[in-house]
Amino acid sequence: MEKVLSRFMELSTDPYASVAKWKEDTGKKIIGCFPMRIPEEIVHASGMLPVVMWRGNEAVTLGHSYVHNFNCGLTRSFIDDVMKEKLDFMDGMIFYRSCLQAEEVPSTIELNAPPRHFLYLYLPPLYPGAVFRDFLIQQLKRMKENIEGWAGQEITKDALNNSIEVYNKNRSLLKRLYELRKRKPGTIRAREMLAIVHSSMLMDKEEHSKLLESLLPELENREAIADGKVRVILTGGLCQTPHTAILDLIEEAGMVVVDDDIYIGSRYFANEVTPGDDPLGSLADRYMKKIPPDPTMGDWKTLWSDYMVDKVRENNAKGMVSLLVKFCPPHLCYYPDIKRTFDREGIPEVMIEVEHEVVSVEQTRTRLQAFVEVIKGGA
Amino acid sequence: MVQEFKLNRLETTRLMGPMVDKHWKELRTAKERGEKVAWCSGVPFIFAYAMDMKCHFMAGYSAYCAGRKAGEHVLEIADSTGELPDTCSYHRMHMGMAEAVKRGIPVREDVVLPIPDLMIAGRVCPEMSHYAEALYRKFGIQVAGIEVTTPYQESDYAVLEPYLERQFKEILIPTMEEICGKPFDYDHMREILRVLKKTATIRNDCLEYFKKVPSPWTLWDYGVSLAPVIYLMGKPETIPYYEKLRAELEERSKNNIPAILPEEKHRVFWDGWLPWGFLGHFSRKLTSYGANPISGRYPWEMFPRPDLIDPEGDPVHTFVKALYTGTMLGNNMAKPGLSLIDKIIPEYQIDGLIFFTAKSCRIWKSQLTILEKMERKYGIPGLCLEADMADPKMFSDAQIDTRLNAFFEVLEARKEKRRWV
Ligand code: SF4
Ligand code: SF4
């Protein structure tokens, strides 16, 4: 068990060598997908490896000649990595139009250091009307055709359905893991959970599922350490990896994470895809799901804050920790509403601002401790 | 002795203030006359105009409010109601205004917005989605959601045009019909387009005068004159305005009268938003160096290809064509923007590039890359000014002064090498 976990941890904290090695071992191509909304199944079905692009593991230096220092950490660090040629092993990159900061990345990369294969997609927001789904399908077709060209092979319906199954299986395993954590909080540490989900974004899905299958029963037997801990859920980190140091601080302050609403967490594996006769249509259906709400898309009737309140209640949690990525407008815009809603509902919430380079450990620790005291005082 | 420069203001631009004020006043008082009101982000406000609704336009209102020096106050209201400072200042301004109206917080009368009957969310960025959601939530206002996609590259126009056209026809028009209780008025939309076409055509004549050395007008003058080709579109008085402007420019041009007295020393390109809240402020700063901003990307966004507008055909179709093939949307994107700037620099004989970067709006893509490529290609110096279009708290004036000083020193030193004169 520890071996599998440490492999996940290693991959998550330093993906470069392992991802490149996978390519070397298999002779297959690596395609980077911009976080959050790209249906990786289409890449998977072509026999290439889709990996979700990640926030780098060093401070941004060279990248600052290309991107402003008031962009979010993910975009800055990704551009920095590309400019430092750390991602040269990627054969292709797929981007799409999400938030304004994310849109900074594709053109900056294409104009300065174009990858061998490059694709920019227009994935629509969640507005009512058939036109959005139709347009999405058109874009998915475009994606499929491009990928076929890159891979030099056709993506058959069977192959796509097979990839859908592979992804569904991985999703259901991750879900089981999350259920285990809900049942026995503290069995899996927050940083471990992060590494497990993150690894799924970085390695071959079937291999990841195999590892998860071996890990699950062993984790069942692990001792829970949640006695007397304050149950919380995490939200935020829209498309980037939270700092493990912050996750540790949350636990050190006396909290236990019972569930989350973060991208490198439950958002990644939410909702399955129904395989069938029209697999692109099925992928579109998953994309168009309104839950979990996505603040980079916008659907004015499904409120993100309500979803969070439900999540807290469902989990019998005592509070929520918002990991707010510095300079992330989609989260920043919604935050006042989240705050107001939580105040109104009388649920304690604390916001921790996270930045790529700096984690102000002492300040964060103090805030988290004070937060725990508030919860305990109110209990 | 240090040379003193001053702006030689145009007479015609003085006529714009009253036109703009009238527009916002009509919006403010629409409810009293029983008229329907919409708020709109992005360009679809033309659909509301066609239905005789009074319609606000997010960027236009923000520029107006900031220009009237009320922006700071409205932003303070937003801050006090919990909005976070790193979000778009236009977005915050609207959140602040909505809260003020809802809670009865006093705001200066000339910038108050009426609560709309409809929110047209012409979504360009997630901030606009949020803004629609907040209005829906705060006031229960019906929302018509449209995605106005910025094109990554020119070759994508063909895919994006039918997408937007369908959204207008299947979502926006039926919603307008429902709200207004009458069929969509295609003829009125045609009329608006006829006027817009004419106004934008004369405007294009005016833009030609920027090519003259010295230029008879500045980008600041043009900024003041933008409303007729955007939210004042379709108003008949916009045509005589531009005719007057053209005549005045012709006159100045014939007599070699420059926009900066006693002489235009540096011809600069101004990228990004115009700093609406601080137009006078920045114009004074640049003028003090004898610098004339004579071109930019933002001002070129407003229907640069009126020749493509065909009001006699399908007005929705032609409107969409004007937006994409007509290169109105997309200048802010890196690839179309780069081609545009590459064309402008030699055509307008640019000496230096000032890239204005709004900290709270990142819609101008890859500015640092474009700046670097153009500096290298044309051997002209460039400067990136980090500030904001409306929020004074987002930048430091002292820092801007230092950077402008250094920039103009370089320009001065290279003056001998100016290839345009
Ligand atoms: S959603 Fe937030 S974290 Fe993701 S790219 Fe946009 S600004 Fe960055
Ligand atoms: S972020 Fe920029 S594009 Fe979006 S609403 Fe604000 S000013 Fe407009």
Side-chain angles (χ1 to χ4, degrees), chain B residues 257-326:
Chain B
I257 300 171
I260 291 185
L261 296 170
E263 60 165 333
E264 169 186 275
K265 244 180 133 188
H266 311 289
R267 297 167 67 81
V268 299
F269 178 89
W270 180 277
D271 197 62
W273 293 120
L274 284 180
W276 291 114
F278 324 98
L279 218 49
H281 192 70
F282 277 98
S283 89
R284 277 188 296 277
K285 278 188 200 291
L286 262 68
T287 306
S288 73
Y289 297 97
N292 188 5
I294 47 163
S295 192
R297 277 193 283 170
Y298 174 52
W300 260 246
E301 271 187 358
M302 313 301 160
F303 301 93
R305 296 278 314 273
D307 55 304
L308 290 176
I309 301 176
D310 169 24
E312 310 318 317
D314 175 347
V316 181
H317 181 77
T318 199
F319 182 67
V320 171
K321 259 260 152 338
L323 298 181
Y324 287 105
T325 307

Side-chain angles (χ1 to χ4, degrees), chain A residues 37 63-71 97-101 103-112 118 120 122-125 127-132 134-135 138-139 142 295-306 324 326-337 340-341 344 351 353, chain B residues 81-88 91 99 103 121-130 132-134 136-138 141-153 156 159-160 162-163 166-167 170-171 332-335 338 357-370 372-373 384 386:
Chain A
R37 294 197 231 146
H64 279 155
S65 309
Y66 302 90
V67 63
H68 293 294
N69 56 9
F70 42 84
N71 260 50
R97 191 175 178 266
S98 61
C99 73
L100 289 180
Q101 318 244 0
E103 271 185 79
E104 185 83 11
V105 183
S107 51
T108 303
I109 287 176
E110 203 193 359
L111 291 170
N112 294 294
F118 176 94
Y120 183 88
Y122 299 95
L123 302 178
Y127 285 171
V131 49
F132 297 106
D134 293 350
F135 184 69
Q138 193 187 330
Q139 290 296 307
R142 230 186 96 213
T296 67
M297 292 168 105
D299 151 43
W300 54 93
K301 291 193 178 171
T302 314
L303 303 174
W304 194 22
S305 48
D306 291 352
L324 199 147
K326 198 164 168 59
F327 303 120
C328 173
H331 195 176
L332 285 161
C333 277
Y334 280 85
Y335 185 73
D337 181 47
R340 271 195 288 266
T341 308
R344 195 185 59 225
M351 184 256 271
E353 190 177 62
Chain B
T81 58
E83 297 297 323
L84 297 178
D86 283 328
T87 58
C88 160
H91 172 264
E99 281 294 328
R103 302 183 189 186
R123 182 190 190 273
V124 172
C125 67
E127 281 81 337
M128 292 178 178
S129 288
H130 175 266
E133 177 174 325
Y136 172 79
R137 190 165 201 180
K138 282 185 207 300
I141 288 158
Q142 191 165 342
V143 178
I146 300 291
E147 186 187 26
V148 182
T149 316
T150 39
Y152 183 74
Q153 54 207 352
D156 294 339
V159 186
L160 297 174
Y163 173 47
R166 248 191 91 184
Q167 294 181 66
E170 293 178 19
I171 295 164
N332 56 302
M333 297 296 278
K335 288 169 83 182
L338 190 57
T357 299
K359 280 191 172 173
S360 77
C361 167
R362 307 291 323 115
I363 196 163
W364 300 88
K365 297 291 136 41
S366 307
Q367 276 184 309
L368 295 175
T369 295
I370 298 176
E372 193 265 339
K373 286 199 186 303
C384 192
E386 293 159 12

